């Protein structure tokens, strides 16, 4: 079945303050959606809400992934249902290698009968790393310890490859990505995209979209998607900023 995420009329408050005010978005497998918008428009709020962060209170609306109501699930259950959020994993775990972390994460998604043997896991990891053109030695590094910005991104993309989610949300807004890291994310996304996987890239910058060609671009402003279009919308935002859209709404 082709993946289908339906976000309808989502209202979210943080400490009683409404942040998202009726956000609707449909993402299907094989599609890349870029969500852009000025600082403070609610982009990260959307990501945290999808993850199930307790600070973000959903006051109205629904999020349904392949027929399943996501909002009633714990963050862990959401992950098992196929939702992947790039920032959901620990920042730095000394003494735990990338490989052993990934094995634990993969097996947490499986029943005990279906757990991958060390050999099955190793083969899968090797195949995914080869597909992503990653150096095999990376798997033996300690998780995020001393990782550069680019290596953190590589690790995120590898997690995504190994967990095979249905919907991946990449919030790139505040990460100060250099061009190398942007390329890693874009190449990884392009490699992994398939009819079972839909991707939401949240970004403040138009830059990443030079490498990663979104099918749809959405502008989030004051807690709502106020404009949607194709990749040309990102070019227009780069040229003209956000004010012209703001004025269009006011009129
Ligand atoms: P963006 O990612 O688009 O820059 P955010 O979703 O981070 O925007 O923030 C949207 C608004 O919600 C901002 O006004 C911000 O101050 C507020 N906000 C977000 N998260 C929190 C929080 N945890 N506590 C208090 N205010 C928050
Ligand atoms: Mg943000």
């Amino acid at each position: 079945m082709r993946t289908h995420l339906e976000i309808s009329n989502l209202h979210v408050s943080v400490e009683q303050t409404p942040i998202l005010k009726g956000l609707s978005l449909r993402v299907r497998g094989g599609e890349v959606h870029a969500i852009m918008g000025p600082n403070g428009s609610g982009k990260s709020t959307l990501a945290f809400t999808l993850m199930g962060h307790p600070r973000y209170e959903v006051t109205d609306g629904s999020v349904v992934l392949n027929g399943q109501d996501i909002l009633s699930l714990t963050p862990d259950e959401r992950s098992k249902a196929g939702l992947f959020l790039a920032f959901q994993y620990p920042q730095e775990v000394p003494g735990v290698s990338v490989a052993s972390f990934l094995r634990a994460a993969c097996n947490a998604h499986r029943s005990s009968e279906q757990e991958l043997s060390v050999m099955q896991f190793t083969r899968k990891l090797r195949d995914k790393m080869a597909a992503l053109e990653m150096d095999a030695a990376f798997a033996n590094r300690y998780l995020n310890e001393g990782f550069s910005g680019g290596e953190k991104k590589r690790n995120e993309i590898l997690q995504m490859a190994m967990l095979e989610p249905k919907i991946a949300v990449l919030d790139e807004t505040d990460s100060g990505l250099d061009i190398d890291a942007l390329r890693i994310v874009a190449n990884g996304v392009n490699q992994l995209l398939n009819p079972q996987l839909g991707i939401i890239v949240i970004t403040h910058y138009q830059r990443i979209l030079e490498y990663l060609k979104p099918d749809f671009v959405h502008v989030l402003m004051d807690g709502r998607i106020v404009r949607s279009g194709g990749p040309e919308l990102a070019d227009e935002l780069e040229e003209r900023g956000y004010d012209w859209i703001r004025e269009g709404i006011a009129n």
Side-chain angles (χ1 to χ4, degrees), residues 173-190:
T173 308
D174 303 310
S175 41
L177 294 185
D178 58 21
I179 294 293
D180 182 41
L182 289 179
R183 282 213 189 95
I184 291 164
V185 172
N187 289 343
V189 164
N190 293 333

Side-chain angles (χ1 to χ4, degrees), residues 69-89:
D69 168 23
I70 288 297
L71 296 177
S72 63
L73 304 179
T74 64
D76 184 50
E77 290 165 339
R78 292 178 197 212
S79 164
K80 284 179 192 162
L83 212 52
F84 175 86
L85 293 119
F87 48 60
Q88 75 190 106
Y89 296 104

Side-chain angles (χ1 to χ4, degrees), residues 90-126:
Q91 278 302 300
E92 205 170 283
V93 190
V96 174
S97 70
V98 169
S100 58
F101 172 79
L102 285 173
R103 182 153 178 256
C106 284
N107 283 335
H109 280 202
R110 293 161 183 263
S111 64
S112 43
E113 309 87 73
Q114 288 181 311
E115 278 192 10
L116 297 173
S117 70
V118 174
M119 217 149 82
Q120 287 168 321
F121 171 80
T122 305
R123 187 172 304 134
K124 179 170 171 162
L125 182 61
R126 204 180 45 212

